[in-house]
Amino acid sequence: MLHLYSNPGPGIQPATAVRPTTTLRRAVVLLLGLLLPLQLAAQTFSLKSPDGRLEVDINTTPQLQYQLKVDGEVLITPSAIGLQFADGMDIGKQLVVTGQQQKTVNEQLRPEIKVRTAVIQNHYNELIIDFKQNFSLNFRLFNQGAAYRFVGQQTDKAELKNEQAEFNFVAGTYSYFPFEKNFRTATQPTFTPLPTKNIDGDELGSLPALFVAKGVNLLLTETDLQDYPGLWLRGQGDGRIYGVHPKDLDLTKQNPQNPEQAGEFTTRIATVSRERNFPWRIIGVARSDAELLNIQLSYLLAEPSRIGAPSWIKPGQIAWDWYNENNFKGVDFKAGINTETYKYYADFAAKFGIENILIDDGWSSHDDVLTVLPSIDVQAIIAHAKNKGVDVQLWVPWTGLDKNMEQAMALYKKWGVTGLKIDFMNSDSQSMVNFYWRAAAMAAKYQLMVNFHGSYKPAGIHRTYPNVLTREGVKGLENHKWSDSITPAHNLHLPFIRMIAGPMDYTPGAMRNAHRKDFNAVFSRPMSLGTRAHQLAMFVLYESPLQMLADTPNSYLAEPEIPAFISKIPTVWDNFKVLHANIGEYLLMARQNGNNWYLAGMTNDQPRTLPVKLDFLPKGSYQLELMKDGINADRHAEDYKLEKRVVKAGDSLDIPMVAGGGFAAILTPL
């Protein structure tokens, strides 16, 4: 076995330098000449993480396989990986090793958009194994996980027949599995806890997915997904999981019965250049639930930003109309998709310092996104909003946008639009993935921010094009309009699984709140499961540089403490500290932005009081502004209490949370 290190690590001392004699030099050269062919023919390579706690063993013959150990325990047994092409090339079997390289990287990255932290430590050991077939395998081990990808150097195109990606978990592993019905989906799963051995080949799951092996969390996802179909999961019914891909879509063909499902599946997975970087397959590793929040591999492994001067990209909050269907009261105009309604949104946003409003579906037809419908004057709304210091973003369906993409974006820029919500893709086939990259690049050209809905999970584009501020790919608040599946427990799966892949546009802020016994799915006037304080906590706990306020302006204006509090919460962060964490049960977390700290907690259907020690604060006194469950919130979910007082660093707080409850707090230094 070859143990590969690029340079001595902690506790490893280099050998003392000795000037060799001529005879000794000749002997060393001869020995190296004899050893080199043996080394390159070696079957197994080994690589460790910088802290030495993760180790991967890679076997190259007869089948390319890897095995993952954590703290000396095998958690993923030998698992096959490879690429098979229609012309017979098989990067997985009978490979001939021609060389290997190793290195260590330890650097700090400062994201253009600081989603979770202002600085991310990029520390890994890397092994690259070169094969005679003009392909390489690249493995990186971080303290927070492992990742691999293939790199091709053969200058031609070929049809990809199959990618082999196995994850053979040890016996006893269970999962939070994101079951999906088929490959045509907006990727909005719930996460079902079950033994991994119960997942078989008839069942399909999207990414990210979480597995727990011998008490260790292993999160599967991918990044740097470019010109390639997304990776999905099936099971063998014995604890082994393997990857599959959707067939490619012919986007020129439309489904007249369902415009949200444009395109027809072809018979091929993908046609790719063999001179390229293939996507990274990620196995995040966390020994506790809290440690899952340390995993930022989706960002670290993505292609760096292509935007040279990103100062025009502005994170912030945005008032939204579609969830609440503009069901206003107490106004003197007919609410709907019209000019007066959105001027009202702009006035509301300006009153509370909310940076943006969104004009969602209804301002144009789905086929023609260049022509504004007669019922609304978009340019008049933009002028009114700009006068109030508020920006306007537009919803567009991808089908209409893709027909005249540059013409449309140039027009929107001329109007003064600052961002787009692009919707209904419902696929991560190769052709649809390519649409995302076309749209992001064109939006960057015209300095437009992007929010993808009807989308797959984040897979690196938010680093390469930081104007892609957020995306859906999450079973969020809008599902309350037709379902009771958005439970407090589901809300406490999301930060540990979906959010680890990248920003998620859950769209919090419901003002009608109910417990299970009072809940009813009402499409036009939806309510949320859980308390008002549970909703407020999401503005701190959920990461989205563009964070929506989902309910009507007049609902917020009726209780002005709520929007006044929400609008003080930033959408990007310098640092964080997890205080208490248990997947599906509870999460208490502190986040820092500048000198202020923001604190929030949520619980599932169990009431809880977990101690909050303010030892993460720098020394001094702080103004505490706390929104918590009211004394009757266990009966009436909308009951909340605003509390203000002075606290000191090191103080302890006990904040009760009712079933389905939560809290949010702002800590401002005095």
Side-chain angles (χ1 to χ4, degrees):
M1 178 179 293
L2 294 176
H3 293 275
L4 303 174
Y5 303 96
S6 63
N7 51 51
I12 302 174
Q13 299 298 320
T16 303
V18 177
R19 183 179 179 85
T21 65
T22 302
T23 303
L24 179 58
R25 286 200 299 269
R26 288 173 180 167
V28 169
V29 170
L30 178 60
L31 181 60
L32 288 175
L34 291 171
L35 285 179
L36 188 58
L38 295 174
Q39 189 177 36
L40 296 182
Q43 304 302 303
T44 304
F45 299 82
S46 181
L47 181 70
K48 288 189 176 182
S49 59
D51 63 5
R53 299 183 67 182
L54 276 61
E55 182 176 2
V56 65
D57 297 325
I58 304 159
N59 191 7
T60 61
T61 303
Q63 168 68 56
L64 184 60
Q65 294 179 319
Y66 74 96
Q67 173 180 273
L68 179 66
K69 298 177 188 174
V70 178
D71 297 327
E73 292 269 4
V74 174
L75 301 185
I76 297 181
T77 63
S79 302
I81 55 177
L83 299 169
Q84 290 84 43
F85 295 94
D87 64 2
M89 176 181 280
D90 190 338
I91 308 302
K93 292 182 179 179
Q94 303 302 324
L95 295 170
V96 177
V97 177
T98 58
Q100 57 84 16
Q101 309 162 51
Q102 323 97 49
K103 68 177 180 180
T104 294
V105 171
N106 191 2
E107 62 184 358
Q108 289 186 333
L109 300 182
R110 298 181 180 274
E112 287 83 357
I113 304 300
K114 50 185 185 178
V115 178
R116 189 174 306 166
T117 53
V119 177
I120 309 176
Q121 198 70 26
N122 189 32
H123 191 191
Y124 61 84
N125 290 333
E126 181 175 46
L127 165 65
I128 300 173
I129 306 173
D130 298 320
F131 303 119
K132 186 177 180 181
Q133 289 84 345
N134 291 324
F135 268 79
S136 302
L137 174 64
N138 188 338
F139 248 102
R140 289 183 187 175
L141 256 62
F142 303 75
N143 295 339
Q144 295 80 33
Y148 75 86
R149 76 169 171 196
F150 291 97
V151 178
Q153 297 91 27
Q154 184 161 318
T155 57
D156 64 354
K157 283 191 172 185
E159 180 183 336
L160 179 71
K161 190 174 180 181
N162 182 52
E163 178 186 345
Q164 201 165 9
E166 294 182 358
F167 308 92
N168 296 335
F169 296 103
V170 294
T173 298
Y174 67 94
S175 74
Y176 295 86
F177 200 71
F179 286 105
E180 300 277 9
K181 293 181 179 178
N182 54 60
F183 290 114
R184 293 305 300 259
T185 173
T187 322
Q188 298 183 5
T190 55
F191 297 91
T192 305
L194 81 167
T196 305
K197 67 180 181 180
N198 291 356
I199 304 167
D200 60 34
D202 292 331
E203 291 159 327
L204 182 67
S206 53
L207 292 178
L210 183 63
F211 298 82
V212 185
K214 296 185 177 180
V216 177
N217 293 306
L218 303 174
L219 185 128
L220 303 186
T221 191
E222 64 179 334
T223 197
D224 206 20
L225 178 63
Q226 301 190 44
D227 192 23
Y228 201 81
L231 184 68
W232 296 60
L233 302 176
R234 294 193 189 274
Q236 298 278 20
D238 57 5
R240 294 180 294 165
I241 299 294
Y242 63 97
V244 294
H245 295 88
K247 301 290 187 184
D248 196 20
L249 283 174
D250 181 349
L251 300 184
T252 65
K253 296 181 179 179
Q254 304 294 313
N255 181 349
Q257 279 70 46
N258 190 347
E260 295 181 21
Q261 291 192 355
E264 289 184 4
F265 283 114
T266 66
T267 59
R268 66 184 182 277
I269 294 174
T271 300
V272 299
S273 167
R274 285 194 284 212
E275 186 179 28
R276 58 163 296 160
N277 295 326
F278 288 77
W280 287 100
R281 280 64 186 93
I282 295 173
I283 309 168
V285 176
R287 295 164 191 82
S288 69
D289 294 349
E291 284 185 9
L292 282 162
L293 276 296
N294 294 333
I295 298 171
Q296 300 197 62
L297 300 185
S298 180
Y299 180 90
L300 289 174
L301 291 161
E303 180 188 332
S305 175
R306 297 180 186 175
I307 298 177
S311 59
W312 55 272
I313 304 171
K314 303 293 185 184
Q317 296 177 341
I318 184 165
W320 185 36
D321 58 333
W322 189 84
Y323 171 80
N324 60 69
E325 294 214 340
N326 296 321
N327 272 305
F328 292 1
K329 66 177 183 179
V331 297
D332 57 3
F333 59 87
K334 192 73 171 176
I337 310 296
N338 58 48
T339 307
E340 287 303 310
T341 295
Y342 292 97
K343 286 183 176 180
Y344 185 69
Y345 272 98
D347 293 344
F348 160 72
K351 180 179 178 67
F352 292 99
I354 297 164
E355 296 90 342
N356 308 277
I357 66 169
L358 177 68
I359 304 176
D360 210 294
D361 188 9
W363 68 271
S364 73
S365 71
H366 285 198
D367 288 335
D368 179 6
V369 298
L370 300 172
T371 305
V372 180
L373 295 177
S375 60
I376 187 170
D377 187 338
V378 170
Q379 292 183 69
I381 295 166
I382 293 170
H384 179 84
K386 292 285 187 186
N387 189 50
K388 300 276 185 174
V390 175
D391 287 330
V392 176
Q393 301 192 12
L394 290 179
W395 178 93
V396 287
W398 83 269
T399 47
L401 179 66
D402 203 31
K403 290 178 180 178
N404 300 284
M405 184 181 290
E406 183 157 17
Q407 186 182 357
M409 290 194 185
L411 180 64
Y412 303 154
K413 180 66 176 178
K414 182 180 178 181
W415 287 350
V417 169
T418 61
L420 299 178
K421 175 183 174 184
I422 305 173
D423 206 347
F424 290 159
M425 290 76 71
N426 296 348
S427 167
D428 61 358
S429 66
Q430 181 187 26
S431 294
M432 192 61 81
V433 167
N434 290 343
F435 165 79
Y436 280 70
W437 287 85
R438 287 200 310 276
M442 191 65 70
K445 178 178 178 178
Y446 289 97
Q447 296 192 345
L448 296 169
M449 293 171 283
V450 176
N451 174 4
F452 286 118
H453 267 231
S455 62
Y456 58 87
K457 80 283 176 189
I461 198 173
H462 60 291
R463 180 179 181 187
T464 315
Y465 286 104
N467 60 316
V468 179
L469 286 179
T470 191
R471 71 170 66 203
E472 197 176 29
V474 60
K475 203 172 189 72
L477 188 77
E478 69 180 30
N479 286 268
H480 286 302
K481 293 166 70 75
W482 53 81
S483 169
D484 64 356
S485 60
I486 311 304
T487 65
H490 169 74
N491 295 337
L492 282 155
H493 286 145
L494 296 177
F496 300 101
I497 308 174
R498 163 59 181 83
M499 196 171 78
I500 307 306
M504 60 180 196
D505 191 21
Y506 178 97
T507 68
M511 293 291 284
R512 298 184 72 217
N513 320 107
H515 293 298
R516 174 74 64 179
K517 64 182 178 62
D518 303 315
F519 179 84
N520 189 24
V522 181
F523 192 88
S524 296
R525 294 194 61 210
M527 63 185 74
S528 71
L529 272 171
T531 70
R532 174 71 57 76
H534 187 90
Q535 286 286 306
L536 296 177
M538 295 175 183
F539 286 92
V540 176
L541 297 181
Y542 288 176
E543 294 167 0
S544 181
L546 184 69
Q547 190 72 274
M548 289 199 185
L549 283 76
D551 227 314
T552 59
N554 58 318
S555 294
Y556 291 122
L557 289 166
E559 299 180 60
E561 290 176 331
I562 299 294
F565 182 85
I566 292 173
S567 62
K568 294 177 185 177
I569 300 173
T571 64
V572 291
W573 307 100
D574 294 324
N575 212 343
F576 72 94
K577 182 176 181 180
V578 180
L579 306 178
H580 299 280
N582 193 316
I583 297 170
E585 301 282 331
Y586 52 82
L587 175 62
L588 272 67
M589 191 171 179
R591 294 191 190 267
Q592 180 188 14
N593 181 288
N595 294 323
N596 287 1
W597 282 82
Y598 302 79
L599 184 66
M602 292 195 304
T603 184
N604 62 2
D605 287 327
Q606 296 297 317
R608 286 186 173 87
T609 302
L610 297 170
V612 178
K613 181 81 169 175
L614 300 179
D615 56 0
F616 55 86
L617 295 174
K619 289 184 179 180
S621 297
Y622 294 79
Q623 177 70 39
L624 171 71
E625 189 174 354
L626 171 66
M627 286 283 197
K628 65 179 185 179
D629 291 325
I631 195 169
N632 293 306
D634 59 333
R635 300 173 57 196
H636 191 329
E638 294 176 8
D639 187 31
Y640 70 93
K641 183 177 182 181
L642 174 61
E643 186 178 293
K644 297 181 181 182
R645 67 177 188 270
V646 175
V647 296
K648 293 182 179 180
D651 285 356
S652 290
L653 306 177
D654 291 323
I655 307 172
M657 298 182 288
V658 304
F663 67 86
I666 302 171
L667 291 153
T668 307
L670 295 175

